[in-house]
Amino acid sequence: MSEGRFHVRKAAVLGAGVMGAQIAGHLCNAGIPTVLFELAAKEGDPNGLVNKAIANLGKLKPAPLGEKAVANGIIPANYDQHLDLIDDCDLIIEAVAERMDIKRAVYDKIEQRVKDGAIVASNTSGLSMTGLADSLPEELRSRFCGVHFFNPPRYMYLVELIPTKYTAPKIMDDLESFLTTALGKGVVRAKDTPNFIGNRIGVFSMLACMHHTKAMGLGFDVVDALTGPLIGRPKSATYRTADVVGLDTMGHVIQTMQDTLPDDPWHAFFGKPDWLAKLIEEGSLGQKSGKGVYEKRGKEIHVLDLEQGDYRLSGQEPSAAVEGALRQKTWGERLAKLRGSDDAQAQFMWACFRDLFHYAAYHLADIADTARDVDLATRWGYGWKEGPFEVWQQAGWQQVAEWIEEDIAAGKTMTNAPLPAWVKAGGREAVHFPEGSYAPNSDAVQPRSALPVYKRQAFPDPVLTESFDQGSTIFETDAVRLWTHGDEVAVLSFKTKMNTIGPGVIDGIHQAVETAERDFAAMVIWQTREPFSAGADLSAAIPIVAAGKIDEFEAFIARFQNTSMRIKQSAVPVVSAVRGMCFGGGCEFQMHSAKTVAALESYIGLVEAGVGLLPGGGGCKEIALRCSRDAVNGDVFGQVQTYFETIAMAKVATSALEAKKFKLLRPTDVVVYNSYELLHVARSEARALAEAGYRPPMPENNIRVAGDIGTATIQAMLTNMLEGHFVSEHDVEVATRIGKVLCGGDIERGSTVNEQWLLDQERKNFVALAMMPKTQERIAHTLRTGKPLRN
């Protein structure tokens, strides 16, 4: 086994089912050519099955591919013809059906072809990893482990990494580092126990909810209202989650717990409820079959009612007692009120929390190294805002432990198994501390992993009590903070709601650039929380527009444009670090940066047309400039057409890869797969630009434009759309002005202009649109409802 650095130049995924195909897709998102294996088709093209799976990736929602062309990186293969494609793979992930015999049969096919140093991993969701390893040749066992992706693999942050008793420590370290940086995952190491950590705790929580739903006589919809955002859980809550995951999949996971955990004190509850078994039997499997716990009928959502034996209209709400309890400031007050209430819903809530705490504490030493692993696994794998131990600790550790013990003694808990001794040992008050989290097997506080990969995360996802170096403040206003970690790169962060851009942010950017030019080698614009920016703060401009102060409003837009140009013309490189939404003015700022470093999950767009405006902060100017640069054989309009559709339809790129396709990011901009590494990479890129002797771009004075002919062509297209009733008259007004600015205004085709000319065209048309009543209606409606208005 090689002791050098681990590189994945090529990967293979065995099994082209739902998970296997999507894992292959995400490997290709990361730029890794991946061979996807499936059984040979019995008729026709032997690759028929795998080709169908690849084609299906382009149809799935949410999209598993960052951009549809990514699928070209997947190499279709079948076991009968293409086993030689395994020979040069550095990573092989098996993702076939959850049966030992099927997995072992696949291993038999490939084990002699695995090259020295390659890692083989099984994407099992709960089978014994050591049991699988026992069937492998001895020379492969040390390079075999479990790697459990959560569905969908592109979006779910959690990956559980499970060693066997044979797995070499270096293999675990190499794979953890690869998964973290290359695939953008949050890795939790789990023990080789059934369902590992995330599903062991998460599925138990759902089973406890199901048990108490029946005991309290509650409806499925009211339970979902209780166990969703109200307590920091996803909107899908409990039963909608089961529908989304698939009731058959849910049943399989429950069956795994029943079959493999006979000695678990909660084993009596590891069975499919009668209603679940019946739904599975009749093929009502949830979202994928159109019917499960819930059924959509037209625009109405209906829910299964066990008393009626049929579906009824969904919509039951939490009780006043529950809402009152959860309005309390602390978890201690909330749980006390829930526990002390006679209300059935309140009792249900307390029982669910109590039994979750009880189960997590009882099994912590068996399934995980630390309390942190359990909390991060449930947060990252199930979308919980806080893990069970975080909630328990905030509620008062000893008080909650006493409540659980009282309920055990009173026979109220799901089992009478006692809390483990460590829970109350030494008057314990916490499991999370600034220096680490409690590890019951060593009876010590264990810090976070010291793997070098984590040095790339200045601000990892914290658990309770953790905090990280916030850097030294250079200056701070109500709108922005400029700070540094003690090196030559300054970092600018916005402080406004949704990081919107108003006068305070604009002034802050000018001050920050001036400071960076004077005292630093480079500057990064990075937000401490998503989004990068939701765009301009339109609410700040409404009073000016409403008062008809055209000159004042135009001066504000000019200042906005000047800010974009100040970023572009800065004497030191300004790098934008983008994650989450990057709309409107935020998109324009990153377009003017020396470089953008964008997380894969960035949603980038010039969306002003949606409120009846056009990009007015230099965005149209920058696009016209790019059209001139990219023109093929002098055909500027061919470039304008592509951009025009993107802007006029307010299209949003749903990944950084798609933003490159839309040309809102440049080919030289960097895509980062782990958003927690974004600041590290952006600072590195900024330093590299500075080290290379960065100079701002020369003023552009020969920008070729499509001119009047281009504008006329766009107008003709819009007239046809209006006559076909595809757009409104105001849509045409907005789109015409967008086209006019992109084509350079009222000027002959092929003319050359400078940047200021284009900025003037952009500003003039932006102001004209803003003063129109229909645009003002659109802005007001969007600010009020968050939705666009088509008028």
Side-chain angles (χ1 to χ4, degrees):
M1 183 170 62
S2 172
E3 290 300 321
R5 286 179 175 268
F6 177 65
H7 298 285
V8 180
R9 297 176 180 86
K10 180 183 173 186
V13 175
L14 312 178
V18 173
M19 283 299 288
Q22 291 192 71
I23 291 169
H26 193 54
L27 284 161
C28 288
N29 283 336
I32 298 167
T34 301
V35 187
L36 180 60
F37 279 87
E38 188 47 89
L39 296 172
K42 294 179 180 178
E43 298 179 0
D45 180 0
N47 271 350
L49 297 176
V50 69
N51 285 333
K52 182 178 179 181
I54 295 170
N56 193 49
L57 289 174
K59 304 172 187 175
L60 294 178
K61 298 293 181 184
L65 305 177
E67 199 270 304
K68 284 191 177 181
V70 163
N72 297 330
I74 303 177
I75 304 159
N78 66 76
Y79 301 110
D80 291 354
Q81 297 176 303
H82 305 119
L83 287 177
D84 60 306
L85 294 177
I86 293 281
D87 294 355
D88 59 345
C89 289
D90 303 292
L91 174 63
I92 300 158
I93 298 175
E94 169 268 303
V96 301
E98 287 287 284
R99 277 176 43 186
M100 281 279 192
D101 57 336
I102 295 176
K103 291 181 184 293
R104 285 172 173 162
V106 170
Y107 299 162
D108 288 343
K109 294 178 188 293
I110 62 104
E111 59 191 27
Q112 299 303 319
R113 309 210 69 113
V114 179
K115 73 175 186 177
D116 182 45
I119 295 175
V120 181
S122 174
N123 182 56
T124 179
S125 60
L127 294 179
S128 167
M129 294 310 308
T130 296
L132 288 172
D134 284 335
S135 67
L136 293 171
E138 190 171 341
E139 65 270 17
L140 260 185
R141 291 176 185 170
S142 66
R143 291 183 278 132
F144 176 79
C145 64
V147 55
H148 180 213
F149 288 84
F150 275 61
N151 191 21
R154 170 184 163 186
Y155 300 95
M156 295 303 294
Y157 189 56
L158 177 65
V159 169
E160 292 174 315
L161 201 54
I162 310 100
T164 73
K165 67 180 183 181
Y166 311 109
T167 309
K170 184 178 184 300
I171 292 298
M172 295 291 285
D173 291 349
D174 285 346
L175 193 50
E176 180 167 354
S177 299
F178 167 77
L179 291 165
T180 300
T181 291
L183 297 190
K185 296 304 173 187
V187 176
V188 171
R189 295 196 186 190
K191 296 186 179 181
D192 189 10
T193 54
N195 287 354
F196 313 128
I197 301 174
N199 281 342
R200 184 73 176 272
I201 301 298
V203 172
F204 172 80
S205 178
M206 296 176 75
L207 286 171
C209 280
M210 290 177 184
H211 168 70
H212 293 303
T213 299
K214 181 179 180 181
M216 303 292 178
L218 302 180
F220 294 141
D221 51 344
V222 76
V223 169
D224 277 354
L226 294 170
T227 59
L230 204 61
I231 57 170
R233 307 271 177 89
K235 288 182 180 179
S236 55
T238 300
Y239 293 102
R240 282 187 191 279
T241 294
D243 268 0
V244 170
V245 169
L247 299 186
D248 53 340
T249 303
M250 183 74 190
H252 173 79
V253 175
I254 295 171
Q255 190 66 48
T256 299
M257 294 178 75
Q258 188 175 53
D259 295 343
T260 58
L261 295 168
D263 298 326
D264 192 303
W266 283 263
H267 184 264
F269 302 95
F270 298 164
K272 295 187 288 288
D274 292 342
W275 60 264
L276 178 59
K278 184 179 179 183
L279 287 174
I280 295 171
E281 184 180 348
E282 66 186 33
S284 298
L285 305 180
Q287 188 169 281
K288 59 187 172 187
S289 67
K291 183 180 178 181
V293 176
Y294 291 92
E295 181 183 22
K296 191 171 184 180
R297 298 179 182 176
K299 293 185 177 181
E300 293 180 344
I301 304 295
H302 290 245
V303 64
L304 181 63
D305 188 308
L306 296 182
E307 285 190 11
Q308 297 180 16
D310 200 357
Y311 289 81
R312 60 165 170 77
L313 193 64
S314 175
Q316 290 188 3
E317 297 292 330
S319 66
V322 167
E323 290 191 334
L326 295 178
R327 276 197 296 269
Q328 304 304 307
K329 289 184 179 181
T330 69
W331 272 115
E333 293 171 309
R334 293 169 199 160
L335 295 183
K337 282 192 172 292
L338 291 172
R339 186 172 189 263
S341 174
D342 293 330
D343 178 75
Q345 291 186 24
Q347 281 295 303
F348 166 84
M349 293 290 282
W350 161 246
C352 288
F353 275 114
R354 175 200 64 211
D355 292 326
L356 172 62
F357 298 155
H358 189 186
Y359 191 82
Y362 187 90
H363 286 296
L364 174 59
D366 304 331
I367 66 174
D369 288 332
T370 71
R372 176 178 56 248
D373 296 325
V374 168
D375 282 343
L376 290 180
T378 50
R379 281 164 46 179
W380 294 346
Y382 278 76
W384 295 2
K385 185 178 178 181
E386 297 167 301
F389 292 120
E390 290 178 300
V391 174
W392 183 348
Q393 181 169 324
Q394 291 176 83
W397 188 268
Q398 287 292 331
Q399 176 63 80
V400 171
E402 289 172 11
W403 286 341
I404 295 171
E405 288 182 330
E406 287 174 13
D407 282 10
I408 292 173
K412 294 181 179 179
T413 52
M414 293 169 71
T415 176
N416 62 0
L419 285 172
W422 67 260
V423 170
K424 299 187 74 175
R428 179 178 309 285
E429 290 294 346
V431 291
H432 294 304
F433 306 88
E435 63 272 21
S437 296
Y438 181 68
N441 288 312
S442 60
D443 191 31
V445 173
Q446 185 173 307
R448 279 184 177 252
S449 170
L451 274 180
V453 69
Y454 293 115
K455 293 178 181 177
R456 298 166 59 87
Q457 299 185 17
F459 299 96
D461 192 9
V463 294
L464 185 68
T465 76
E466 276 190 311
S467 62
F468 305 102
D469 182 5
Q470 301 297 309
S472 303
T473 299
I474 301 162
F475 76 81
E476 188 168 11
T477 69
D478 289 341
V480 303
R481 176 182 179 238
L482 187 70
W483 57 279
T484 178
H485 260 150
D487 62 6
E488 68 274 26
V489 180
V491 181
L492 179 67
S493 302
F494 302 170
K495 296 168 56 181
T496 52
K497 184 178 180 181
M498 299 289 285
N499 296 320
T500 52
I501 302 160
V505 169
I506 287 173
D507 291 344
I509 291 173
H510 282 271
Q511 184 180 348
V513 172
E514 182 180 337
T515 303
E517 288 177 329
R518 184 182 66 238
D519 299 328
F520 293 90
M523 186 176 89
V524 169
I525 302 175
W526 175 83
Q527 315 299 8
T528 58
R529 64 191 186 285
E530 291 188 20
F532 179 75
S533 176
D537 181 5
L538 294 175
S539 61
I542 282 180
I544 305 172
V545 174
K549 299 177 180 178
I550 297 179
D551 292 344
E552 185 178 338
F553 182 67
E554 186 165 0
F556 172 75
I557 302 305
R559 176 74 166 160
F560 207 116
Q561 292 179 328
N562 291 340
T563 306
S564 294
M565 294 302 292
R566 187 72 178 96
I567 291 170
K568 184 174 184 176
Q569 295 167 348
S570 168
V572 298
V574 176
V575 172
S576 289
V578 172
R579 57 181 172 172
M581 292 185 295
C582 178
F583 294 162
C587 180
E588 289 172 307
F589 285 168
Q590 69 83 19
M591 291 176 77
H592 285 79
S593 300
K595 179 169 273 190
T596 295
V597 177
L600 176 68
E601 300 309 326
S602 297
Y603 304 91
I604 302 174
L606 294 168
V607 297
E608 289 85 349
V611 290
L613 295 167
L614 54 77
C620 287
K621 178 272 301 179
E622 197 64 19
I623 285 174
L625 192 158
R626 293 181 185 186
C627 289
S628 176
R629 285 180 188 160
D630 297 343
V632 179
N633 298 323
D635 178 21
V636 177
F637 186 71
Q639 296 294 320
V640 169
Q641 276 183 304
T642 302
Y643 279 112
F644 170 75
E645 183 180 335
T646 299
I647 300 170
M649 296 180 66
K651 282 187 178 180
V652 172
T654 56
S655 75
L657 299 181
E658 195 169 56
K660 285 196 171 190
K661 178 185 175 184
F662 288 178
K663 299 186 179 180
L664 297 172
L665 291 179
R666 294 155 291 201
T668 54
D669 288 334
V670 176
V671 179
V672 172
Y673 289 81
N674 193 317
S675 64
Y676 292 106
E677 296 183 351
L678 185 66
L679 179 59
H680 169 83
V681 176
R683 291 169 66 192
S684 299
E685 291 289 335
R687 277 193 293 268
L689 288 169
E691 288 288 335
Y694 176 81
R695 292 289 303 162
M698 295 279 283
E700 300 273 359
N701 295 315
N702 293 292
I703 304 167
R704 192 169 299 280
V705 295
D708 49 6
I709 302 299
T711 302
T713 304
I714 287 172
Q715 286 176 323
M717 178 182 69
L718 291 170
T719 298
N720 290 336
M721 292 179 71
L722 180 62
E723 289 177 354
H725 304 289
F726 296 109
V727 292
S728 70
E729 289 186 2
H730 195 57
D731 289 332
V732 172
E733 178 71 37
V734 174
T736 298
R737 289 181 180 273
I738 290 171
K740 196 172 193 178
V741 176
L742 295 183
C743 292
D746 296 320
I747 193 171
E748 289 185 4
R749 179 175 62 179
S751 297
T752 57
V753 299
N754 60 25
E755 288 183 84
Q756 190 57 52
W757 169 273
L758 291 169
L759 287 170
D760 292 343
Q761 296 295 315
E762 181 183 276
R763 186 176 65 256
K764 180 177 70 175
N765 283 280
F766 184 96
V767 172
L769 285 171
M771 293 299 167
M772 293 179 182
K774 286 188 179 294
T775 288
Q776 293 175 23
E777 289 171 11
R778 290 189 179 190
I779 293 171
H781 183 270
T782 300
L783 288 173
R784 187 174 66 254
T785 67
K787 297 177 181 178
L789 173 68
R790 294 296 301 274
N791 57 353

